[in-house]
């Protein structure tokens, strides 16, 4: 019984949807007036008929009939049928739209200035034509709905675009669910885009839109463009895949770009005179030139010279989504004083708060991400593989690749992986500014060789992390590997300050030598600048920048040159520092001060710790290993009148101390030591350090030890527990057993010392 | 006998159930019939929610036509209405307005008599002759509904 009643109700409901409609046909256009709403239809002078505000010239009316067609208010349907188009206009909006049709070229003028019956007008487009278009003019918001449309404009009538909306208001482009729509514009028109909207457009729906931009851009909007849910495929474009102003916001959906002639997405500031408004609340009246990616997927490849996958005159802000970007364009050397590069992302500033981004750069001297101002990573993952080669020509230009480049760089969280292979390329480079790392996992690998920069007249190598200003490391984990000639793991011209975090830097390349006077040394960490004034014995140096370490865990190794080098002063007051090299393990061009922390310099071919100025040991725990004489464990530039001052600290120096040192704290020497053996250093009865003597081929003598109190030493001890430091060459807070006491004698300084002031 | 009494009770119960079942089936049939009837009426009501198109001439003359299969053609100076009942012509210059109606309100309630000849027929098609004007016809004819034709078209008038 219930089923029967249900059926009855269903039938009754079904029946109720039928309604009568008066259809007024003028050429290809049919205006549909529901009988219930048609009201009084007025004749005037026998020449015109007015229905629901729409006046028809009777001589233009080709047919009128009444049927049961259902009319959806506010809707204008355009159905493309090969060489013609059929237009159905809902009666309630008939007075506001004036269609003109030539073949399948449809132009509609819209005149309403407010909602009609509480809603905006919807233009519903469907069908197929190989020579048609949809042109819409107006001054009030509306919706263009794509319902399974294949539209190619072969011979423009109104515009060369496939869809042209000459309306400065908000235009919804709704791509109906499960429909596929393909637009292609005319290659011979004057249009700015295959899909052109003068005002601001909102792409939405759950269908698919394919675009072939045969003249200029694929999608062009005069104002902002937003996108949600839908799938847009820019199959080709002579210019940009998407070009817009004010801002571009992708909330979800998918975007793919192939065969674009310029950038995949470009967003400009609309009012260049007024400049950027910056990001505004809810993007109200925003004219920032920003690109926002909230969610969704972007897959873009650009190949044209200096083309970018994402290019914003404002900022690029990534909060989520998955971006796969390939920048394969060549370098633009039209103006060699201001060359332009291909890039995955280019912006005024770049901010990543989430999302997963993979960028591959193959274009010469290309950039993974480049920002004129700041680059900030707050989360997500960013993976850049930059294969771009170096381009140079004499003294006119020298351009090498960059993984990430900006004026100022902040790495706060997330995962950043960068690799570059071009000569003298940089993994992450702060031009003119600083790099600050407070968190995240950063891995940078450079494999390129050194190269001569004819513009700067200098020999240059690669660098993993490079700043013209300072580098501040306050947290996070950095793994920096450089394998090319002259390559450096980390380098800055200003001050490198490490207060926390983990740095593991290695340089396995050899020296890059351009000439006898120009070369680039491969070092793990280098900071500061020493500027030579004068020459020969009269040469003096001016120092700037340097290295300050107050915390963190630093591991640096270099195969052929200094592992850590300050071209100015070097101050260590905390943290754990381990440096390993065949050259000086740690070198300072000016004064070197250790007042805290745990520092080990292990050199297999030079000094363990070397200062070209004074060397001050005031505290901390120092373990230095030098090669055989004339190298010393701890060296100062005695030749130039400088000196080693020991006033505190726990010290182990294999190879001894610089001659003429000022040893306010008593030092002792052991005449021999055993490679590979663990030793225990005591201050009175307190174990201050357990350390393992390296097994380098060449190691100097004696082994000097010192503590602030009564210094004793045991050899051949067993070590357990505690915390291993210095790549397991030291142990803190461990338990020591067995071993034998080492005979120590007073030590007042060695006879060695490097003859070179560096 | 207990067994005989039991059989009799069972027989009566079975009979009662059959009767109830029959009543239920009859009620169901009625409901279905009712439903179909309602639906049919509903459909018809919707199909013909506005079954008439009323044309009003400049002189106030009303003409209603069924909208079933209705088409309108504007030809030169006339409107040609075609529906299941046939075609009718109207001079465009004499048309004032038109509207959909739920009832055949187009029965003439002429307000603006015109002084021109009209030919009058009964609703069964019997010609009653030509009158000098509609008002003359109304004064002459007995109560009823008539079809009149003049230069402005063909329409109905009611004589009260």
């Amino acid at each position: 019984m219930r089923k029967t009643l249900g059926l009855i109700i269903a039938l009754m409901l079904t029946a109720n949807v039928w309604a009568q409609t008066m259809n007024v046909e003028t050429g290809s256009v049919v205006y549909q007036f529901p009988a219930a709403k048609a009201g009084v239809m007025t004749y005037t002078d026998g020449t015109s008929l007015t229905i629901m505000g729409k006046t028809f010239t009777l001589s233009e009316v080709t047919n009128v009939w009444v049927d049961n067609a259902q009319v959806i208010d506010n809707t204008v349907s355009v159905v493309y049928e090969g060489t013609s188009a059929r237009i159905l206009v809902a009666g309630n909006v008939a007075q506001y739209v004036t269609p003109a049709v030539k073949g399948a070229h449809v132009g509609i003028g819209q005149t309403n200035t407010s909602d009609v019956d509480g809603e905006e007008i919807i233009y519903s487009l469907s069908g197929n034509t190989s020579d048609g278009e949809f042109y819409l003019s107006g001054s009030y918001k509306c919706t263009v709905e794509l319902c399974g449309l294949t539209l190619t404009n072969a011979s423009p009538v109104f515009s060369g675009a496939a869809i042209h909306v000459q309306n400065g208001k908000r235009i919804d482009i709704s791509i109906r669910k499960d429909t596929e729509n393909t637009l292609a514009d005319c290659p011979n028109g004057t249009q700015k885009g295959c899909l052109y909207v003068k005002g601001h457009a909102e792409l939405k729906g759950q269908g698919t839109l394919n675009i072939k931009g045969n003249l200029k851009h694929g999608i062009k909007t005069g104002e902002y463009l937003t996108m949600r849910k839908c799938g847009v495929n820019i199959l080709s474009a002579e210019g940009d895949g998407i070009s817009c102003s004010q801002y571009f916001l992708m909330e979800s959906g998918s975007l793919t770009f192939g065969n674009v002639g310029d950038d995949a997405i470009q967003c400009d500031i609309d009012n260049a005179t007024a400049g950027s408004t910056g990001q505004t609340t809810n993007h109200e009246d925003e004219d920032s030139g920003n690109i926002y990616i909230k969610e969704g997927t972007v897959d873009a490849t650009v190949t044209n010279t200096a083309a970018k996958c994402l290019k914003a005159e404002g900022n690029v802000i990534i909060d989520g989504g998955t971006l796969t970007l390939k920048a394969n364009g060549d370098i633009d050397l039209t103006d060699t004083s201001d060359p332009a590069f291909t890039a995955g992302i280019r912006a005024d500033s770049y901010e990543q708060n989430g999302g997963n981004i993979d960028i591959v750069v193959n274009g010469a001297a290309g950039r993974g991400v480049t920002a004129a101002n700041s680059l900030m990573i707050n989360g997500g993952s960013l993976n850049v593989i930059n294969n771009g080669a170096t381009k140079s020509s004499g003294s006119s230009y020298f351009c090498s690749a960059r993984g990430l480049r900006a004026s100022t760089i902040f790495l706060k969280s997330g995962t950043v992986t960068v690799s570059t292979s071009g000569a003298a390329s940089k993994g992450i480079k702060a031009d003119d500014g600083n790099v600050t790392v407070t968190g995240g996992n950063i891995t940078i690998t450079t494999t390129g060789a050194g190269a001569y920069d004819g513009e700067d007249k200098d020999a240059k190598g690669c660098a993993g992390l490079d700043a013209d200003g300072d580098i501040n490391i306050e947290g996070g984990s950095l793994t920096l590997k450089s394998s090319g000639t002259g390559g450096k793991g980390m380098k800055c011209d200003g001050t490198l300050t490490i207060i926390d975090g983990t740095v593991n830097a290695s340089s396995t390349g050899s020296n890059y030598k351009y000439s006898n006077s120009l070369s680039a040394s491969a070092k793990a960490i280098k900071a500061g600048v020493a500027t030579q004034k004068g020459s020969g014995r009269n040469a003096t140096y001016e120092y700037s920048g340097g290295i300050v370490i107050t915390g963190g865990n630093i591991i640096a190794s270099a195969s052929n040159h200094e592992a850590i080098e300050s071209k100015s002063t070097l101050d260590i007051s905390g943290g754990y520092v381990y440096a390993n090299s065949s050259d000086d393990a740690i070198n300072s061009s000016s004064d070197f001060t250790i007042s805290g922390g745990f520092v080990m310099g292990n050199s297999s071919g030079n000094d363990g710790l070397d200062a070209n100025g004074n060397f001050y040991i005031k505290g901390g725990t120092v373990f230095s290993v030098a090669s055989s004489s004339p190298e010393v464990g701890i060296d100062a530039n005695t030749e130039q009148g400088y000196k080693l001052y020991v006033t505190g600290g726990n010290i182990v120096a294999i190879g001894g101390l610089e001659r003429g040192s000022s040893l306010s704290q008593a030092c002792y020497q052991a005449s021999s030591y055993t490679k590979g053996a663990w030793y225990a250093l005591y201050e009175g009865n307190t174990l201050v350090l357990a350390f393992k003597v390296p097994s380098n081929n060449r190691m100097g003598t004696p082994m000097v030890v010192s503590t602030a109190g009564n210094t004793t030493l045991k050899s051949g001890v067993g070590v357990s527990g505690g915390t291993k430091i210095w790549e397991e060459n030291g142990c803190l807070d461990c338990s020591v057993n067995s071993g034998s006491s080492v005979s120590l004698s007073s030590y007042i300084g060695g006879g060695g010392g490097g003859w070179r002031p560096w | 006998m207990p067994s005989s009494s039991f059989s009799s009770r069972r027989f009566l119960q079975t009979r009662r159930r059959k009767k109830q079942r029959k009543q239920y089936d009859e009620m169901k049939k009625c409901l279905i019939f009712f439903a179909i009837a309602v639906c049919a009426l509903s459909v018809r009501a919707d199909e013909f929610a506005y079954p008439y198109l009323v044309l009003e001439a400049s002189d106030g003359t009303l003409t209603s036509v069924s909208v079933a299969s209705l088409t309108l053609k504007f030809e030169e100076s006339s409107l040609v209405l075609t529906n299941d009942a046939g075609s009718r012509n109207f001079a465009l210059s004499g048309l004032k307005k038109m509207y959909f109606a739920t009832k055949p309100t187009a029965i003439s309630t002429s307000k603006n008599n015109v002084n021109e000849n009209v030919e009058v027929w009964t609703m069964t098609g019997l010609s009653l002759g030509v009158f000098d004007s509609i008002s003359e016809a109304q004064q002459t004819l007995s109560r009823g509904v008539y079809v009149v034709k003049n230069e402005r078209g063909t329409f109905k008038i009611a004589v009260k």
Side-chain angles (χ1 to χ4, degrees), chain A residues 86 172 301 347 476 622:
Chain A
R86 188 161 43 89
D172 273 359
T301 299
V622 180

Side-chain angles (χ1 to χ4, degrees), chain B residues 80-137:
Chain B
V80 179
L81 284 176
T82 304
N83 61 8
D84 291 342
S87 296
R88 298 171 69 175
N89 286 2
F90 295 85
L92 284 171
S93 58
L95 282 177
K96 184 179 180 184
K97 58 190 174 184
M98 63 184 181
Y99 50 86
F100 286 96
T102 55
K103 295 176 181 177
T105 53
I107 293 172
S108 174
T109 52
S110 179
K111 293 173 185 171
N112 300 314
N113 292 331
V114 290
N115 188 18
E116 56 185 6
N117 292 339
V118 291
E119 189 175 2
V120 180
W121 290 269
T122 66
M123 292 301 287
T124 57
L126 176 65
S127 175
L128 299 177
V130 178
F131 294 80
D132 289 337
S133 65
I134 292 175
S135 59
E136 186 195 2

Side-chain angles (χ1 to χ4, degrees), chain A residues 1 4 8 11-12 15-16 18 20 22 35-36 39-43 46 49 58 61-66 68, chain B residues 31-32 35 38-39 42-43 46-50 67 70-74 79 92 95-100:
Chain A
M1 180 68 81
T4 307
I8 293 166
L11 281 168
M12 289 177 76
N16 280 334
W18 295 1
Q20 290 156 272
M22 173 172 276
V40 174
M41 298 168 270
T42 308
Y43 288 91
L49 171 63
L58 295 179
V61 174
T62 49
N63 198 6
V64 180
W65 69 96
V66 178
N68 288 325
Chain B
L31 275 171
I32 291 170
V38 166
C39 286
S42 176
V43 169
D46 279 338
E47 260 191 309
F48 298 96
Y50 296 90
V67 298
L70 178 64
T71 62
L72 296 82
K73 285 274 188 183
F74 298 99
L79 165 64
L92 284 171
L95 282 177
K96 184 179 180 184
K97 58 190 174 184
M98 63 184 181
Y99 50 86
F100 286 96

Side-chain angles (χ1 to χ4, degrees), chain B residues 9-23:
Chain B
R9 258 199 323 271
R10 281 195 63 182
F11 173 75
L12 288 172
Q13 282 176 348
T14 306
R15 197 174 161 187
R16 199 179 302 125
R17 283 198 195 103
K18 282 183 178 175
K19 191 177 180 182
Q20 286 174 342
R21 179 73 190 173
K22 192 176 178 184
Q23 285 175 337

